Amino acid sequence: LTYFFQSNPAGKLIILALGVFSAIAWTVMIGKAMELNQLFNLNRRFEATLNNAPSLLELASKKAFSESIPFAALVKSATECYFRAVEMEADQGNAVSHAENALQRAVANQSLNYERKMVLLASIVTGAPFMGLLGTVWGVMDAFGAIGLGNSASIADLAPGVSGALLTTVAGLLVAIPSVFGYNFLLSLTKKRVIELENFASTIADRIELEDTASRRF
């Protein structure tokens, strides 16, 4: 607090802004981790339900899937496109390719949802140290400027201003260091969840193709 009150107005403003950014970063990190964990559990429960169903296409024709579950949104998009293609075309063979295209689009959309707010966190990680450095340079400039305009040039007159200026760098690092660890963890977890989406989409495409082939045989 002593160093904070020794800072110039620009330094105080930067420190307060960094405090706001820190609160935002922690909110994003905790909220994103909870969101990814919740989606993982929902996906697993939906996948277990789907594995117990004898026919994916029959289940999709009778039940409306919730788009709040990523895996369910993929199945809904693929099966709706499949049934629409079957209704419009006499040959069912093209319906499978339409379903695969729908799966690719759905995976891309869900991937964007998984990566939501990561840009904000990355901006805080990158910008916080530079804001701290800006406050330090500005504070040191003011301190030396005051010494130059005054009659005294002792270290006792210079030290308070420099100490207050260096506090902004410390604040910037205190914001950036936890944020960069959190960002790297969430980025790795997001990539893992996207790979799970892609693998599930591939499984659904195979299942639709197999069921489509079986239905045309009979």
Side-chain angles (χ1 to χ4, degrees):
L1 289 176
T2 301
Y3 296 152
F4 174 78
F5 289 116
Q6 289 174 349
S7 300
N8 62 354
K12 293 176 181 177
L13 182 62
I14 290 175
I15 291 173
L16 292 175
L18 287 170
V20 174
F21 291 157
S22 178
I24 294 173
W26 279 103
T27 301
V28 170
M29 287 188 292
I30 295 173
K32 194 66 180 178
M34 294 175 62
E35 178 187 357
L36 291 174
N37 183 63
Q38 182 184 19
L39 292 177
F40 174 78
N41 293 331
L42 291 173
N43 285 338
R44 284 291 164 262
R45 285 198 290 268
F46 177 80
E47 188 176 21
T49 302
L50 210 61
N51 290 336
N52 293 329
S55 173
L56 170 65
L57 295 176
E58 183 178 350
L59 179 65
S61 63
K62 296 179 180 178
K63 183 178 180 180
F65 296 118
S66 172
E67 293 189 355
S68 61
I69 305 174
F71 280 9
L74 296 186
V75 175
K76 181 179 180 181
S77 179
T79 53
E80 284 182 351
C81 191
Y82 173 84
F83 291 134
R84 193 182 308 116
V86 169
E87 291 177 359
M88 296 177 63
E89 300 177 9
D91 182 13
Q92 282 184 298
N94 292 328
V96 175
S97 62
H98 288 301
E100 291 174 349
N101 292 335
L103 276 173
Q104 293 178 2
R105 292 191 296 269
V107 168
N109 291 332
Q110 293 299 323
S111 298
L112 290 176
N113 290 334
Y114 277 167
E115 296 170 1
R116 191 162 42 93
K117 297 182 181 178
M118 294 295 290
V119 174
L120 175 61
L121 188 57
S123 300
I124 293 175
V125 169
T126 305
F130 288 104
M131 287 189 64
L133 181 60
L134 172 63
T136 296
V137 173
W138 199 325
V140 170
M141 181 179 65
D142 277 358
F144 278 104
I147 292 295
L149 295 175
N151 297 322
S152 175
S154 66
I155 190 67
D157 296 324
L158 182 64
V162 173
S163 299
L166 291 174
L167 180 62
T168 59
T169 296
V170 175
L173 293 176
L174 287 176
V175 174
I177 290 173
S179 298
V180 73
F181 284 113
Y183 175 78
N184 289 334
F185 170 76
L186 290 174
L187 184 62
S188 175
L189 190 59
T190 300
K191 289 181 178 178
K192 184 178 179 181
R193 296 292 175 260
V194 170
I195 291 174
E196 291 172 354
L197 274 177
E198 293 172 349
N199 291 338
F200 180 77
S202 178
T203 301
I204 294 302
D206 290 341
R207 191 166 176 179
I208 291 176
E209 185 176 3
L210 289 172
E211 293 186 14
D212 174 77
T213 303
S215 64
R216 283 190 285 118
R217 284 179 181 176
F218 299 101

